[in-house]
Amino acid sequence: MRLRRFIPLVAAIGAAASMLLATPALAAGSHTAPATRSAKVNAELKAEIKAQLRYNPSGKVINARQVSYDHGHVVVTVVIPGDDTPAFTCLRGFVCLFERPNLKGNNAAINEPRDRDIRIAGYLPFVQSLHNLRSTGSILSNGVNRSVCYTSGQRANAISDPVMSYPYLFLQANDNC
């Protein structure tokens, strides 16, 4: 009689043990897709970093997503092509220029030199959005007679032609436009 009660208990324990032993195999299978995706993302980031260095070879790679120029006064952050989420927040003391609207796409964070024209094309081909977290104004200029000033804290989510193609950035040392 005792044996009859014992058999279902042993069967339940056996079923539970087999589920526990199968769980690592199931878990291993579920991690395969993210690991593959991660390898793909890493390959795309490496390709973007290489493209940035072809664009301006004077940079120094500082991590998987960033290239530093001018002793760290300019840091270009690359994103995976097609990534629509802003992956970067501009740091206080910098103006950040973005290749796409709404602070998306590859971007350059710049904090020096002040009161001199900085050639944007050395870092990005054009600017479609901007965030100025400097304490003074930042000016996009055509270098001749046209400019647009962005005051401290200003965010421009959609910069269009001709301003997006202006070749210079001028960081004001004392004025705020």
Side-chain angles (χ1 to χ4, degrees):
M1 199 69 157
R2 281 186 155 166
L3 189 56
R4 283 188 200 175
R5 287 186 218 165
F6 187 67
I7 291 174
L9 178 63
V10 170
I13 292 172
S18 66
M19 288 292 285
L20 288 173
L21 292 173
T23 301
L26 293 172
S30 68
H31 288 303
T32 305
T36 304
R37 196 172 355 185
S38 179
K40 181 181 178 192
V41 166
N42 287 338
E44 289 175 345
L45 284 173
K46 283 181 184 179
E48 285 296 309
I49 289 286
K50 284 182 181 179
Q52 178 63 35
L53 289 172
R54 279 192 304 275
Y55 186 73
N56 184 342
S58 69
K60 177 184 174 191
V61 176
I62 55 175
N63 63 44
R65 298 178 67 103
Q66 295 181 312
V67 178
S68 173
Y69 295 95
D70 194 21
H71 307 289
H73 295 296
V74 177
V75 176
V76 173
T77 302
V78 300
V79 297
I80 302 162
D83 186 1
D84 277 344
T85 57
F88 181 75
T89 303
C90 194
L91 298 173
R92 186 148 312 282
F94 285 81
V95 60
C96 297
L97 311 175
F98 295 81
E99 283 185 333
R100 296 192 355 230
N102 299 316
L103 308 181
K104 295 179 184 176
N106 292 351
N107 59 77
I110 304 171
N111 71 349
E112 291 282 338
R114 295 182 180 127
D115 285 341
R116 280 195 345 213
D117 282 335
I118 300 166
R119 187 150 176 76
I120 296 169
Y123 311 109
L124 298 174
F126 50 85
V127 177
Q128 288 193 344
S129 56
L130 171 150
H131 195 188
N132 182 17
L133 283 179
R134 300 177 62 248
S135 60
T136 58
S138 298
I139 301 169
L140 292 179
S141 164
N142 70 355
V144 183
N145 58 0
R146 300 268 190 247
S147 64
V148 177
C149 188
Y150 300 91
T151 59
S152 177
Q154 188 173 357
R155 191 173 160 164
N157 288 324
I159 298 172
S160 58
D161 271 336
V163 178
M164 71 182 265
S165 300
Y166 281 1
Y168 299 106
L169 173 68
F170 186 85
L171 304 178
Q172 293 180 304
N174 299 313
D175 295 328
N176 197 15
C177 303

